[in-house]
Amino acid sequence: MAATATIPIIDISAEGTDQAQVAKELVDAAVEYGFVYIKNAGQDISPEQIENAFNVSRILFNSPLEDKQRCKIEKNNQGWSGMHTETLDPKTQRVGDFKEGFNFGPFANGKATQPIPGSIEPHQAQLAAFRDACHELCRKLLLLFGIGLGVNPPDFFTSAHSPTAPSGSILRFLYYPPPASTPSALPDDVRAGAHSDYGSITLLFRLRAQSGLEILEPRTGSWAPVPVTPPGTEDDEQPPILVNIGDLLSYWTNGLLRSTVHRVAFSNEAAPGESSAEPRYSVVYFCHPADATPLAPVPSERVKAFQRHGSDGSSGQGYSNPYTEPKVLTAQEHLQMRLRATYLQLYGDGEKKE
């Protein structure tokens, strides 16, 4: 059995928490690992909200195929993607990912602003509230990153992620069929290809005992499983929320904050007590700045000093970030570059980016 990934666990909401110390711990984790567990005691997102999201996810993926196809993903990155539609690692994958996904864009007055299957229409208000709670938790984390990096003003990142401005932020439901239902998979295939995330930060919610997530350990260059419930959290009401830095925030900080490559594997190299034999569900929130946000240099002496040391924005051994050229992009331009490389069928193979 492979050694599990070493990822810090931080409680950002405990009573009497020293905000400056928590901010320092978050930045240290983001610099060294690119991932961090956030203990979830219900102050930011309640266990009931998380449980409800997984319940709605099951309803959605059990909907008739024609209902899901009616909501197929568009170039705005919203909608349903079927098996093998997404190819997260096009350079090495034989076929697309062994998963289904559904991307939710913004809600307005508790209603989806995109086509959704009829089976989940009664749950729109709950999904809207959950999405809002995810975004507010991201803004809380981004403020802590601003404090930890000595950004002036500290709310530099937070103000760029207004909940009302148009952005690429997405609430995503994912379903991975059990290996027994995917007999066409070969030994070298993966459920989701090796990749780094596109946005600022990602929140990942998982169910106990469901394995599959692996990170490319920055220090060793080896794949390591990421437990759903790391040691010390087994008795918590909910597993901790797994947070990772995306390419955009790494780009924005000149590579100081690490965007770590990860994948979802069929492998039996699971963390203790976890298995890949059953269907795997996950709920993800990808937080992005407002579309028009210029990704100009961050007003932080620590970030500037790191730039002077010549960081190349590397996001993992063998998986460098190709988008760290000095040109100042907007958040929307950065996202579109990544989507074109991922959805080959949607954008056309001829437009595939290396």
Side-chain angles (χ1 to χ4, degrees):
M1 179 178 294
T4 58
T6 304
I7 298 173
I9 306 169
I10 300 176
D11 191 341
I12 66 170
S13 302
E15 188 175 347
T17 294
D18 181 335
Q19 188 182 56
Q21 179 59 31
V22 169
K24 178 184 182 303
E25 292 174 6
L26 273 176
V27 169
D28 288 347
V31 168
E32 185 168 359
Y33 304 99
F35 275 78
V36 61
Y37 289 105
I38 299 300
K39 285 180 71 69
N40 178 37
Q43 288 98 328
D44 299 296
I45 302 176
S46 73
E48 292 75 21
Q49 285 180 300
I50 297 171
E51 183 179 0
N52 178 70
F54 278 106
N55 288 338
V56 175
S57 178
R58 293 185 186 94
I59 294 170
L60 188 156
F61 290 117
N62 282 325
S63 299
L65 178 60
E66 57 269 23
D67 288 356
K68 292 184 287 188
Q69 288 176 329
R70 182 176 56 83
C71 309
K72 68 179 181 180
I73 196 161
E74 301 290 347
K75 289 185 179 180
N76 62 5
N77 199 30
Q78 298 172 21
W80 174 76
S81 53
M83 288 278 285
H84 310 307
T85 299
E86 190 174 20
T87 308
L88 285 170
D89 187 10
K91 289 184 179 179
T92 65
Q93 284 181 254
R94 178 185 64 88
V95 293
D97 295 352
F98 285 80
K99 70 175 191 289
E100 292 183 39
F102 199 99
N103 291 5
F104 295 93
F107 289 74
N109 300 315
K111 298 289 186 180
T113 58
Q114 66 189 83
I116 61 172
S119 58
I120 64 168
E121 286 185 358
H123 305 281
Q124 292 179 86
Q126 294 166 311
L127 291 175
F130 179 73
R131 191 182 189 278
D132 288 346
C134 287
H135 197 81
E136 282 312 303
L137 175 55
C138 289
R139 283 166 51 87
K140 180 176 182 176
L141 290 165
L142 287 164
L143 176 60
L144 290 168
F145 280 121
I147 293 169
L149 288 170
V151 180
N152 184 22
D155 66 350
F156 174 83
F157 295 126
T158 306
S159 9
H161 292 75
S162 165
T164 57
S167 78
S169 295
I170 288 290
L171 172 64
R172 185 171 216 203
F173 289 169
L174 289 165
Y175 165 67
Y176 302 81
S181 299
T182 54
S184 62
L186 300 180
D188 289 337
D189 287 334
V190 290
R191 284 169 139 178
H195 66 285
S196 49
D197 290 347
Y198 308 158
S200 297
I201 55 177
T202 301
L203 307 180
L204 175 62
F205 304 86
R206 296 180 291 165
L207 295 172
R208 283 186 171 91
Q210 294 191 355
S211 69
L213 180 65
E214 298 179 342
I215 69 167
L216 193 64
E217 279 275 16
R219 292 168 297 180
T220 66
S222 300
W223 291 106
V226 181
V228 177
T229 50
T233 67
E234 298 91 341
D235 297 328
D236 292 353
E237 185 174 0
Q238 282 285 335
I241 301 168
L242 190 62
V243 177
N244 65 282
I245 303 299
D247 286 346
L248 184 146
L249 191 56
S250 182
Y251 174 100
W252 211 352
T253 57
N254 300 310
L256 174 60
L257 301 188
R258 182 187 296 272
S259 179
T260 299
V261 172
H262 49 285
R263 68 183 185 183
V264 179
F266 283 110
S267 170
N268 292 321
E269 297 285 350
E274 297 181 3
S275 168
S276 62
E278 300 299 321
R280 181 180 188 269
Y281 292 88
S282 61
V283 173
V284 196
Y285 186 69
F286 298 104
C287 187
H288 289 252
D291 285 340
T293 303
L295 304 182
V298 175
S300 156
E301 290 304 317
R302 183 172 179 185
V303 171
K304 290 177 184 176
F306 190 78
Q307 182 181 34
R308 285 197 299 269
H309 291 161
S311 166
D312 65 357
S314 175
S315 59
Q317 181 175 334
Y319 288 90
S320 62
N321 180 353
Y323 305 126
T324 52
E325 71 276 4
K327 175 188 174 184
V328 175
L329 304 174
T330 65
Q332 186 177 40
E333 288 170 337
H334 187 277
L335 176 59
Q336 285 301 312
M337 291 170 73
R338 301 306 310 275
L339 292 176
R340 282 180 175 274
T342 298
Y343 290 103
L344 306 181
Q345 298 174 34
L346 186 61
Y347 285 92
D349 290 346
E351 297 182 78
K352 174 182 170 182
K353 304 294 183 185
E354 291 301 318

